[in-house]
Structures are given as C-alpha cells and as structure tokens.
Amino acid sequence: MIVVKIGGSILSDTLHTSIFDDFLRILRNDKIIIVHGGGNQVTSIATKLGLEQRFVVSPQGIKSRYTDRQTAEAYTMVMSGQVNKSIVTVLLKNGINAVGISGIDGAILRAERKRRLLVINEKGRKMSIEGGYTGKIDRVNNSLINVLLERDFVPVISPIALGEEFEYLNVDGDRAAAHIAGSAQADKVIFLTNVPGLLINGRLIEDLKISDAKRMLPTIGFGMEKKVLACTEALELGVREAIIGDGSRENPVSRLLAHESCTVITGNE
Ligand code: ADP
Ligand code: MG
C-alpha cells in the first residue's frame, strides 16, 4: 500500500499527466490512498469571500493558517468541494476508480482542537493567541478507507478532521497523509510537490535518516518544513519509507518509487 499526498502547489496545472498511467500500473497489484492539499486554493477563494487569510509561525518554525470559524467553513467548502472534486473527476476521466471523502467522513481523522497557539510575533517574541479551528491529529479510523480499498476504489481524502465537539478542524495535508499512512501501515508515503525534494544551499538531499531530518527541521523553509516533519511522523508511526519529490516530471510516482532525484527519508536502523 502507498499513500500519495498531492500538494496544492502542483495541483493547479503542473502535475504531469503520466501520473495516471503510474497509478493504473501500481493499482494492478497494490493499493493507493490519495491525500491532497490545496492551501492556495483556499486562500484565493476565502479572499474572494472577503475573509483575509492570516498565517502564524510556531516557535518550532512551522507555519500555519490562522483559522477562525468563518475560515474553517471556507476551508471545508474549498478543500472538500472544489479541490477534492476536481481531483476525483480528473482521476475518473483517466480510468481510476476514485472516491472523494474528507477526513470527517466515517470519522477518519480525529483531532484535538488547539485552544491556544504559541506563535512568534513580528518582533520575534513568543505570544499565546486564541487557537481557532485547527487541530492536532490524535486518532485515525481506517474502516471507511478499508471498505473502499476492498472494493478497489481509490480514496481521495481532504485534510479536515473532526474535533472532540464534532466541530470541523483544519489539519495540515502533509501531516494528515503521514497519519493515514501510519494507520494503514503503508509501505511508503510519497509527497508530490513542485520541487525535487529537500534542497539545502541549492543541493538536493537524496537520503536522510529520521534523526538528521529532525535536527534539520528548524533550518528548512516554509512549505518544505511541514513535509519533512510529516515524513518523520510517518516513519515513527511505522511507515518504512517517506519520499518527497517533484510531481511535474514524467511518471512522477514510478520515478519516486525508484528513488530517482528525490529525497528519501528512512528510520535510523
Ligand atoms: P505543497 O503544496 O506541495 O505542500 P508547499 O508550497 O507547501 O507545497 O511546499 C513546497 C515549497 O517549499 C517549495 O515550492 C519551496 O518553495 C519551499 N521550500 C522552502 N524551503 C525549502 C527547502 N529547503 N527545500 C525545498 N523547498 C523548500
Ligand atoms: Mg504545503
């Protein structure tokens, strides 16, 4: 089983069309779960709705959307609506039996709402602010995913989680993919994005151990920092290999499975 996270950055138009052949080939003898992002699409539509989007940075250097109630609603509409359905339709058009669901459906993703957020303000000082509607994933229920997989459907999951009070919470797509991969005991989790992998001083880091990945986290720029963090989470949850790579190349998934110019993160042993 492999979990493929498709980033919003690559979704718009640059995803290589040969990805469908890749999927069909893999599906002959394996299962695929797709998790997607779509942050830019959320920002664009929320802004059109008159909701100015704000981003905050944690003391660990992780950037996230500040999600008030209205933003949580816009996030859910765009992620589970437009973004999810456009992925499902393009998969169906290419012969892949896709079903779009959100992390809320069948209570796949449960998360603890972050009541307070520790953020770094403009002056570089730590500050505690009202948490809003973001969550930290604490449980994954695979039953709906398994039902779909058994019937040869490809689940396409949007990153929304159910809070303790049954409110919907914005969760990060990369970390959602990591948790779903861990819970499904996937062999691999693959992050398709718009760069070849983790770049340090312009050089692609091809192999990384989890301990080095953790150590490097604070030095990695926004966007990639969450992928590397998600890779470490997936590995800690028992996934054997986490791969970050470019989705715009030909046969992107096969290439990454063959470790061609990408970042592969593995456990310490
Ligand atoms: P996605 O939509 O796939 O999640 P993001 O934009 O969130 O994509 O993350 C990928 C981006 O991370 C890249 O386009 C790049 O601009 C940025 N980035 C920041 N630091 C690094 C780094 N050290 N190596 C590679 N990319 C980086
Ligand atoms: Mg991202």
PDB file of all heavy atoms in Angstrom, residues 112-125:
ATOM      1  N   GLU A 112      -7.433  16.909  18.166  1.00  0.00           N
ATOM      2  CA  GLU A 112      -7.655  17.710  19.352  1.00  0.00           C
ATOM      3  C   GLU A 112      -7.527  19.168  18.936  1.00  0.00           C
ATOM      4  O   GLU A 112      -6.539  19.563  18.308  1.00  0.00           O
ATOM      5  CB  GLU A 112      -6.590  17.357  20.396  1.00  0.00           C
ATOM      6  CG  GLU A 112      -6.865  17.961  21.728  1.00  0.00           C
ATOM      7  CD  GLU A 112      -5.712  17.724  22.695  1.00  0.00           C
ATOM      8  OE1 GLU A 112      -4.977  16.732  22.500  1.00  0.00           O
ATOM      9  OE2 GLU A 112      -5.544  18.546  23.597  1.00  0.00           O
ATOM     10  N   ARG A 113      -8.548  19.938  19.248  1.00  0.00           N
ATOM     11  CA  ARG A 113      -8.513  21.340  18.879  1.00  0.00           C
ATOM     12  C   ARG A 113      -7.450  22.070  19.696  1.00  0.00           C
ATOM     13  O   ARG A 113      -7.341  21.868  20.902  1.00  0.00           O
ATOM     14  CB  ARG A 113      -9.890  21.949  19.138  1.00  0.00           C
ATOM     15  CG  ARG A 113      -9.993  23.371  18.698  1.00  0.00           C
ATOM     16  CD  ARG A 113     -11.444  23.782  18.658  1.00  0.00           C
ATOM     17  NE  ARG A 113     -11.559  25.221  18.772  1.00  0.00           N
ATOM     18  CZ  ARG A 113     -12.662  25.842  19.139  1.00  0.00           C
ATOM     19  NH1 ARG A 113     -13.738  25.147  19.437  1.00  0.00           N
ATOM     20  NH2 ARG A 113     -12.696  27.147  19.203  1.00  0.00           N
ATOM     21  N   LYS A 114      -6.665  22.891  19.016  1.00  0.00           N
ATOM     22  CA  LYS A 114      -5.647  23.663  19.736  1.00  0.00           C
ATOM     23  C   LYS A 114      -6.316  24.916  20.288  1.00  0.00           C
ATOM     24  O   LYS A 114      -6.619  25.843  19.532  1.00  0.00           O
ATOM     25  CB  LYS A 114      -4.519  24.046  18.785  1.00  0.00           C
ATOM     26  CG  LYS A 114      -3.791  22.849  18.182  1.00  0.00           C
ATOM     27  CD  LYS A 114      -2.787  23.334  17.135  1.00  0.00           C
ATOM     28  CE  LYS A 114      -2.216  22.172  16.344  1.00  0.00           C
ATOM     29  NZ  LYS A 114      -1.523  22.621  15.135  1.00  0.00           N
ATOM     30  N   ARG A 115      -6.570  24.904  21.600  1.00  0.00           N
ATOM     31  CA  ARG A 115      -7.305  26.031  22.210  1.00  0.00           C
ATOM     32  C   ARG A 115      -6.472  27.310  22.201  1.00  0.00           C
ATOM     33  O   ARG A 115      -6.985  28.404  22.015  1.00  0.00           O
ATOM     34  CB  ARG A 115      -7.713  25.697  23.635  1.00  0.00           C
ATOM     35  CG  ARG A 115      -8.441  24.391  23.726  1.00  0.00           C
ATOM     36  CD  ARG A 115      -9.863  24.544  24.252  1.00  0.00           C
ATOM     37  NE  ARG A 115     -10.630  23.397  23.827  1.00  0.00           N
ATOM     38  CZ  ARG A 115     -11.814  23.430  23.254  1.00  0.00           C
ATOM     39  NH1 ARG A 115     -12.418  24.592  23.064  1.00  0.00           N
ATOM     40  NH2 ARG A 115     -12.425  22.338  22.887  1.00  0.00           N
ATOM     41  N   ARG A 116      -5.186  27.146  22.459  1.00  0.00           N
ATOM     42  CA  ARG A 116      -4.273  28.295  22.411  1.00  0.00           C
ATOM     43  C   ARG A 116      -3.154  27.946  21.445  1.00  0.00           C
ATOM     44  O   ARG A 116      -2.789  26.770  21.302  1.00  0.00           O
ATOM     45  CB  ARG A 116      -3.645  28.573  23.790  1.00  0.00           C
ATOM     46  CG  ARG A 116      -4.594  28.801  24.932  1.00  0.00           C
ATOM     47  CD  ARG A 116      -5.348  30.097  24.898  1.00  0.00           C
ATOM     48  NE  ARG A 116      -4.519  31.302  24.845  1.00  0.00           N
ATOM     49  CZ  ARG A 116      -5.041  32.530  24.646  1.00  0.00           C
ATOM     50  NH1 ARG A 116      -6.346  32.684  24.488  1.00  0.00           N
ATOM     51  NH2 ARG A 116      -4.271  33.581  24.597  1.00  0.00           N
ATOM     52  N   LEU A 117      -2.606  28.941  20.799  1.00  0.00           N
ATOM     53  CA  LEU A 117      -1.478  28.714  19.903  1.00  0.00           C
ATOM     54  C   LEU A 117      -0.310  29.558  20.379  1.00  0.00           C
ATOM     55  O   LEU A 117      -0.487  30.736  20.715  1.00  0.00           O
ATOM     56  CB  LEU A 117      -1.816  29.173  18.484  1.00  0.00           C
ATOM     57  CG  LEU A 117      -2.809  28.376  17.647  1.00  0.00           C
ATOM     58  CD1 LEU A 117      -2.955  29.051  16.290  1.00  0.00           C
ATOM     59  CD2 LEU A 117      -2.339  26.944  17.493  1.00  0.00           C
ATOM     60  N   LEU A 118       0.858  28.930  20.419  1.00  0.00           N
ATOM     61  CA  LEU A 118       2.059  29.697  20.727  1.00  0.00           C
ATOM     62  C   LEU A 118       2.644  30.131  19.386  1.00  0.00           C
ATOM     63  O   LEU A 118       2.925  29.294  18.526  1.00  0.00           O
ATOM     64  CB  LEU A 118       3.029  28.790  21.495  1.00  0.00           C
ATOM     65  CG  LEU A 118       3.971  29.481  22.471  1.00  0.00           C
ATOM     66  CD1 LEU A 118       3.229  30.403  23.424  1.00  0.00           C
ATOM     67  CD2 LEU A 118       4.772  28.440  23.233  1.00  0.00           C
ATOM     68  N   VAL A 119       2.756  31.431  19.196  1.00  0.00           N
ATOM     69  CA  VAL A 119       3.255  31.918  17.899  1.00  0.00           C
ATOM     70  C   VAL A 119       4.396  32.910  18.128  1.00  0.00           C
ATOM     71  O   VAL A 119       4.589  33.427  19.235  1.00  0.00           O
ATOM     72  CB  VAL A 119       2.140  32.598  17.057  1.00  0.00           C
ATOM     73  CG1 VAL A 119       0.987  31.642  16.809  1.00  0.00           C
ATOM     74  CG2 VAL A 119       1.634  33.866  17.730  1.00  0.00           C
ATOM     75  N   ILE A 120       5.111  33.163  17.072  1.00  0.00           N
ATOM     76  CA  ILE A 120       6.187  34.157  17.107  1.00  0.00           C
ATOM     77  C   ILE A 120       5.646  35.418  16.445  1.00  0.00           C
ATOM     78  O   ILE A 120       5.198  35.373  15.296  1.00  0.00           O
ATOM     79  CB  ILE A 120       7.418  33.638  16.315  1.00  0.00           C
ATOM     80  CG1 ILE A 120       7.938  32.320  16.919  1.00  0.00           C
ATOM     81  CG2 ILE A 120       8.502  34.681  16.237  1.00  0.00           C
ATOM     82  CD1 ILE A 120       8.590  32.485  18.264  1.00  0.00           C
ATOM     83  N   ASN A 121       5.660  36.531  17.176  1.00  0.00           N
ATOM     84  CA  ASN A 121       5.124  37.763  16.579  1.00  0.00           C
ATOM     85  C   ASN A 121       6.184  38.472  15.726  1.00  0.00           C
ATOM     86  O   ASN A 121       7.310  37.991  15.597  1.00  0.00           O
ATOM     87  CB  ASN A 121       4.517  38.671  17.650  1.00  0.00           C
ATOM     88  CG  ASN A 121       5.572  39.271  18.582  1.00  0.00           C
ATOM     89  OD1 ASN A 121       6.766  39.189  18.312  1.00  0.00           O
ATOM     90  ND2 ASN A 121       5.125  39.866  19.663  1.00  0.00           N
ATOM     91  N   GLU A 122       5.799  39.612  15.139  1.00  0.00           N
ATOM     92  CA  GLU A 122       6.702  40.314  14.200  1.00  0.00           C
ATOM     93  C   GLU A 122       8.032  40.659  14.859  1.00  0.00           C
ATOM     94  O   GLU A 122       9.053  40.767  14.193  1.00  0.00           O
ATOM     95  CB  GLU A 122       6.062  41.617  13.673  1.00  0.00           C
ATOM     96  CG  GLU A 122       4.702  41.453  12.991  1.00  0.00           C
ATOM     97  CD  GLU A 122       3.551  41.346  13.996  1.00  0.00           C
ATOM     98  OE1 GLU A 122       3.473  42.225  14.881  1.00  0.00           O
ATOM     99  OE2 GLU A 122       2.758  40.402  13.904  1.00  0.00           O
ATOM    100  N   LYS A 123       7.973  40.864  16.180  1.00  0.00           N
ATOM    101  CA  LYS A 123       9.215  41.252  16.861  1.00  0.00           C
ATOM    102  C   LYS A 123      10.056  40.043  17.250  1.00  0.00           C
ATOM    103  O   LYS A 123      11.055  40.159  17.944  1.00  0.00           O
ATOM    104  CB  LYS A 123       8.876  42.074  18.105  1.00  0.00           C
ATOM    105  CG  LYS A 123       8.186  43.382  17.752  1.00  0.00           C
ATOM    106  CD  LYS A 123       8.098  44.293  18.970  1.00  0.00           C
ATOM    107  CE  LYS A 123       7.348  45.566  18.626  1.00  0.00           C
ATOM    108  NZ  LYS A 123       6.012  45.609  19.233  1.00  0.00           N
ATOM    109  N   GLY A 124       9.586  38.845  16.846  1.00  0.00           N
ATOM    110  CA  GLY A 124      10.354  37.641  17.165  1.00  0.00           C
ATOM    111  C   GLY A 124      10.089  37.129  18.571  1.00  0.00           C
ATOM    112  O   GLY A 124      10.810  36.263  19.063  1.00  0.00           O
ATOM    113  N   ARG A 125       9.052  37.679  19.230  1.00  0.00           N
ATOM    114  CA  ARG A 125       8.734  37.243  20.599  1.00  0.00           C
ATOM    115  C   ARG A 125       7.645  36.191  20.584  1.00  0.00           C
ATOM    116  O   ARG A 125       6.746  36.205  19.745  1.00  0.00           O
ATOM    117  CB  ARG A 125       8.238  38.454  21.405  1.00  0.00           C
ATOM    118  CG  ARG A 125       9.295  39.536  21.521  1.00  0.00           C
ATOM    119  CD  ARG A 125       9.966  39.521  22.863  1.00  0.00           C
ATOM    120  NE  ARG A 125       9.277  40.388  23.821  1.00  0.00           N
ATOM    121  CZ  ARG A 125       9.430  41.720  23.846  1.00  0.00           C
ATOM    122  NH1 ARG A 125      10.168  42.328  22.945  1.00  0.00           N
ATOM    123  NH2 ARG A 125       8.824  42.434  24.752  1.00  0.00           N
TER     124      ARG A 125
END
